[in-house]
Amino acid sequence: MLSNQTIQIIKSTVPVLEVHGTDITTRFYQLLFTNHPELLNIFNHANQKQGRQQAALANAVYAAALHIDKLETILPVVKQIAHKHRSLGIKAEHYPIVGENLLAAIKDVLGSAATEEILQAWAEAYGVIADAFISVEAELYEQAERQSGGWTGFRSFRVERKVSESDVITSFYLVPQDGQAIAAFEPGQYISVKVEIPGETNTHIRQYSLSDAPGKPYYRISVKREEGIKNNPDGQVSLYLHNQVEQGDVLWLSAPAGEFTVNLSDKRPVVLISGGVGLTPMVSMLHTLAEMNPDRQVTFIHAAQNGHVHALREQVEELALLHSQVSIYWCYEKPTEQDRALKAFHKEGYIDLPWLQQVVPTKEASFYFCGPIPFMKAVNSALQKWEVPEADIHFEFFGPSSSL
């Protein structure tokens, strides 16, 4: 437990963190990777280069300071991050390293304003927060290993099939190389894929949503080819998977993880809204709902530029034909004439509230959405204007958490 004096000191730093938080976390990562370059094998270089990781950590530190007297209020966020940490292989021994470099970054950025009293208070607070993460993650590691077909760390999987789903998205069907059972997962969860790219010094880890229903003898991920500029880390792994990984090749996977899962015990209508490759967890949810809750009303909405880049469309349309409770709607920004002839094509342009109110039977439903951040901001704003309760709004970021 933190003393009242420590709590008050931490709270006094909230305004400073609001102004200098990203500067501190940027300096933190510079120090961390200089002092411990081996950690570059874990962290996503693209998120570092884009500043997303620095912003996410700054938000987390700010939230911890703001709620330091009631840390239980940020426990859901702790659990969400802990799932990612377990999936990446973050261990208890990493936390002292992080703490040491975070305090050094605070001192570097704030200079004389970072008094010994403030640094000591933050060291004490960091210890409490780190213990919370370590405890939650230890439980997740144990769950991953002890479940039927489970494992810890990374396990070798063979690419059984490689299927082109659209002009930009390819599915990989992955089976365990040892021929043993694989762990079950909840629709909406993801796996981490670790690859060694020829010519690269460090390994790269990326997290991909599982795009098929649970209960299959394989895992399926559907990966968008990210065309970036030369040496841009954002597209390195996706381009490697698309261009170099073939049927029969081996990839290393962590066990399924993630908190963004559909509630199968809820009998109310469910609305699944996706943009671009954000449809991957939604397709998994749709498959599962159709199989396990066939009487539950499901509205599936997907936005894409056009049919050329719309992946898994035929699978979703087949499910809608087989299950009368499933309604599907396509929204294309720039539809082709062929797209306009599709039965499910209903809107040109972007998803907005008036259209959602037309196609969604009721707002008394559970809403799930995923996609690019601007898309998610628009959907979230529309649902808030519709006065959908916050408890019924669920979303997932691809990468570090941001703000909607």
Side-chain angles (χ1 to χ4, degrees):
M1 292 292 291
L2 295 173
S3 68
N4 186 59
Q5 181 183 7
T6 297
I7 289 172
Q8 294 309 314
I9 292 172
I10 295 296
K11 278 189 167 292
S12 74
T13 65
V14 167
V16 178
L17 292 173
E18 193 168 13
V19 175
H20 298 288
T22 303
D23 293 334
I24 290 170
T25 55
T26 298
R27 180 58 178 153
F28 158 72
Y29 282 115
Q30 291 169 350
L31 292 171
L32 182 69
F33 297 139
T34 298
N35 297 329
H36 295 274
E38 72 277 6
L39 293 180
L40 286 166
N41 292 310
I42 297 176
F43 284 84
N44 185 319
H45 303 183
N47 291 333
Q48 291 291 323
K49 189 168 184 177
Q50 295 166 358
R52 292 186 63 190
Q53 192 69 56
Q54 295 89 329
L57 180 58
N59 288 337
V61 172
Y62 175 80
L66 191 64
H67 302 284
I68 194 68
D69 54 340
K70 294 180 180 178
L71 285 176
E72 66 275 7
T73 61
I74 62 171
L75 189 58
V77 178
V78 171
K79 287 183 176 178
Q80 183 185 49
I81 297 173
H83 270 273
K84 293 196 173 187
H85 283 180
R86 198 279 294 159
S87 179
L88 292 168
I90 301 294
K91 298 292 182 67
E93 55 264 31
H94 292 129
Y95 281 90
I97 296 171
V98 169
E100 177 185 341
N101 286 279
L102 183 59
L103 289 173
I106 291 173
K107 190 171 184 179
D108 280 1
V109 172
L110 299 185
S112 60
T115 64
E116 284 302 316
E117 186 181 46
I118 286 175
L119 291 173
Q120 182 56 43
W122 262 108
E124 188 180 340
Y126 175 80
V128 171
I129 296 166
D131 285 345
F133 273 102
I134 291 168
S135 175
V136 173
E137 287 161 20
E139 186 176 342
L140 292 177
Y141 276 109
E142 185 182 352
Q143 289 173 0
E145 184 175 23
R146 72 169 182 242
Q147 66 178 314
S148 177
W151 71 95
T152 57
F154 288 84
R155 181 178 172 188
S156 60
F157 278 68
R158 177 173 52 83
V159 179
E160 184 179 56
R161 280 191 291 154
K162 181 180 177 181
V163 179
S164 176
E165 305 286 7
S166 77
D167 288 358
V168 295
I169 295 176
T170 295
S171 286
F172 298 82
Y173 291 75
L174 308 169
V175 297
Q177 198 173 23
D178 59 18
Q180 301 299 309
I182 58 175
F185 66 91
E186 295 183 61
Q189 289 192 309
Y190 54 82
I191 54 173
S192 284
V193 178
K194 181 168 69 172
V195 299
E196 294 185 6
I197 301 175
E200 287 289 310
T201 303
N202 302 109
T203 58
H204 293 264
I205 302 175
R206 294 292 186 274
Q207 293 166 327
Y208 295 107
S209 296
L210 293 157
S211 62
D212 209 338
K216 305 287 176 29
Y218 57 80
Y219 293 138
R220 184 179 75 182
I221 57 173
S222 302
V223 180
K224 181 186 177 186
R225 185 180 65 247
E226 299 288 352
E227 297 283 7
I229 59 175
K230 188 176 181 181
N231 298 323
N232 175 16
D234 192 27
Q236 281 182 308
V237 176
S238 72
L239 288 175
Y240 173 73
L241 292 172
H242 274 256
N243 299 339
Q244 298 186 49
V245 173
E246 300 296 343
Q247 183 175 326
D249 288 344
V250 171
L251 296 173
W252 292 85
L253 274 57
S254 66
E259 290 266 275
F260 180 63
T261 57
V262 68
N263 184 354
L264 296 175
S265 63
D266 187 353
K267 302 304 180 185
R268 296 179 305 153
V270 60
V271 183
L272 307 176
I273 310 174
S274 57
V277 76
L279 91 166
T280 51
M282 302 305 177
V283 171
S284 179
M285 291 180 182
L286 179 64
H287 273 286
T288 308
L289 287 163
E291 292 174 12
M292 300 186 66
N293 293 153
D295 296 327
R296 190 171 176 187
Q297 188 177 50
V298 182
T299 303
F300 189 97
I301 300 169
H302 181 62
Q305 189 173 35
N306 54 49
H308 293 302
V309 295
H310 183 174
L312 306 171
R313 188 182 71 200
E314 291 79 8
Q315 294 181 29
V316 172
E317 290 175 345
E318 287 174 9
L319 278 171
L321 285 174
L322 292 172
H323 299 274
S324 60
Q325 291 295 88
V326 174
S327 301
I328 58 175
Y329 301 91
W330 309 145
C331 174
Y332 290 161
E333 180 186 352
K334 298 176 181 178
T336 65
E337 288 307 310
Q338 187 178 4
D339 292 334
R340 296 179 193 280
L342 294 171
K343 184 179 179 181
F345 175 69
H346 285 81
K347 180 172 174 57
E348 179 175 351
Y350 301 97
I351 292 174
D352 55 30
L353 179 55
W355 184 67
L356 280 177
Q357 290 173 323
Q358 288 178 32
V359 300
V360 176
T362 174
K363 69 174 183 179
E364 304 300 323
S366 290
F367 290 81
Y368 297 80
F369 59 94
C370 185
I373 290 179
F375 165 86
M376 292 174 63
K377 286 184 176 181
V379 172
N380 189 60
S381 176
L383 296 181
Q384 289 182 335
K385 288 178 182 176
W386 202 4
E387 298 183 343
V388 174
E390 187 176 345
D392 290 334
I393 299 176
H394 315 275
F395 52 86
E396 171 91 317
F397 290 99
F398 284 165
S401 293
S402 184
S403 172
L404 296 185

